[in-house]
Amino acid sequence: MILPTAVIDLALDQAGGDLIVSWSSQSPPGALFQVYLDRRLVWQGRGRRCQAPLPAGGAGRVSRVDVVQVDPSDFNQDLSGQLPSSPGTSPWASLSWLGGTYLDPSGQDDIRGFRIYGSMRPGQPVDFTNLVGSVPAYPGGWVADGFGLGGFGQGGFGRSAGRYAWQSEPLASGVWSFAIVPYDHSGDERGVPTPASVTIQAPPRPPARGLDGGSLTYMYTGAASRVATLSWQPSPSA
């Protein structure tokens, strides 16, 4: 079973023909994760980073990446059938964007990372006091673009772009608004925020837990009638 646990700060990088996926989570150490590329299971373990070959010997492209926490009893099972059929049916908002030093309008080529701001509730505009995530630029500290570096790309000659990704905590159904803002090594924000919106159609939440900590109770009438009755609490609405 896939657990409804938040996988955050999802970042993608490429090394040769491999895709490097890293993430963080508020789950305790020892939690079990699986990584799927285009709904294909490519990794499972207790870490927060994996390296998996890209399709077609590295020449292929991946249209979606899913990182999920799984129940220990299903750790070795392929749970691709439990993945949302499309990004819109997931309780998580997944953002991806291109970034590089060309985003610094001052010409100092000083970009340290990206802040993600979000709306407080679905249907509301972005609240720039609501910082929901942060993604560092240039994993490992290696700056691959800037004046005289890189090739033709999003920012023009010598100002190529890398791809970044981020995944939210589970959200309620509705349209959520986000803004991605680059910031420099002094913590100052640079350039114009990049807007994004994601429509969430979240599945029902797990049943609420009772006073005993369980979510499922049963009553058995005994050996005479041999009838078992199961009951559970309603799912939380938010």
Side-chain angles (χ1 to χ4, degrees), residues 127-211:
D127 185 338
F128 284 92
T129 67
N130 184 32
L131 180 64
V132 296
S134 179
V135 176
Y138 309 111
W142 181 56
V143 178
D145 71 310
F147 184 76
L149 296 173
F152 288 97
Q154 184 73 13
F157 181 73
R159 292 176 179 270
S160 57
R163 180 165 294 278
Y164 297 88
W166 173 83
Q167 190 174 63
S168 72
E169 296 184 354
L171 300 171
S173 296
V175 180
W176 292 82
S177 298
F178 299 92
I180 303 159
V181 185
Y183 66 92
D184 63 20
H185 283 74
S186 298
D188 297 326
E189 295 180 351
R190 299 283 189 175
V192 178
T194 300
S197 64
V198 178
T199 300
I200 299 294
Q201 297 177 358
R205 293 173 178 253
R209 295 188 180 276
L211 296 177

Side-chain angles (χ1 to χ4, degrees), residues 61-212:
R61 293 187 175 183
V62 174
S63 60
R64 63 178 285 179
V65 178
D66 292 275
V67 180
V68 296
Q69 184 179 343
V70 298
D71 187 271
S73 62
D74 293 325
F75 179 55
N76 292 316
Q77 301 297 317
D78 185 335
L79 303 178
S80 56
Q82 296 184 23
L83 296 174
S85 57
S86 67
T89 58
S90 168
W92 301 280
S94 297
L95 306 181
S96 64
W97 65 94
L98 293 173
T101 58
Y102 66 90
L103 294 173
D104 181 3
S106 71
Q108 299 178 24
D109 292 345
D110 183 10
I111 295 294
R112 182 182 181 184
F114 306 88
R115 294 182 180 129
I116 300 97
Y117 297 93
S119 50
M120 298 295 291
R121 292 181 177 84
Q124 295 184 349
V126 174
D127 185 338
F128 284 92
T129 67
N130 184 32
L131 180 64
V132 296
S134 179
V135 176
Y138 309 111
W142 181 56
V143 178
D145 71 310
F147 184 76
L149 296 173
F152 288 97
Q154 184 73 13
F157 181 73
R159 292 176 179 270
S160 57
R163 180 165 294 278
Y164 297 88
W166 173 83
Q167 190 174 63
S168 72
E169 296 184 354
L171 300 171
S173 296
V175 180
W176 292 82
S177 298
F178 299 92
I180 303 159
V181 185
Y183 66 92
D184 63 20
H185 283 74
S186 298
D188 297 326
E189 295 180 351
R190 299 283 189 175
V192 178
T194 300
S197 64
V198 178
T199 300
I200 299 294
Q201 297 177 358
R205 293 173 178 253
R209 295 188 180 276
L211 296 177
D212 61 352

